[in-house]
Amino acid sequence: MANRARISVEDTEAATVDRAVCIVRCLEGVVSPGDMFDVATSTGGEDARVALYVTRIWRYGRPIDLLGPPHSAKVELTGQGTLSLPGVTHLTMTTGA
């Protein structure tokens, strides 16, 4: 089933070649572990293709299964594009997991 979701990346706490932890705010749709973001928008407004999978979501230090607007959370992302996250303002999921 197709899903569209968009989050703003407020801060990147850690980023390695295959994993990143970010503070995000959900702007549209619902995000859950297993979902994949496929478009990253940079601070300059350019879009780039990525393949970032949500592996964990935490609110107030506790794991959660769903994140919806207008809530903020900490998310762990894995996959292609983790090192570019410090320069990213938004991530968009254009298809379902």
Side-chain angles (χ1 to χ4, degrees), residues 20-55:
V21 176
C22 301
I23 305 298
V24 304
R25 178 175 299 278
C26 188
L27 302 173
E28 177 184 349
V30 175
V31 179
S32 60
D35 287 344
M36 183 189 79
F37 288 97
D38 54 345
V39 177
T41 304
S42 71
T43 54
E46 297 88 20
D47 288 342
R49 300 303 273 174
V50 293
L52 293 169
Y53 292 88
V54 178
T55 54

Side-chain angles (χ1 to χ4, degrees), residues 7 10 38 50 62:
I7 58 174
E10 305 295 325
D38 54 345
V50 293
R62 296 178 183 209

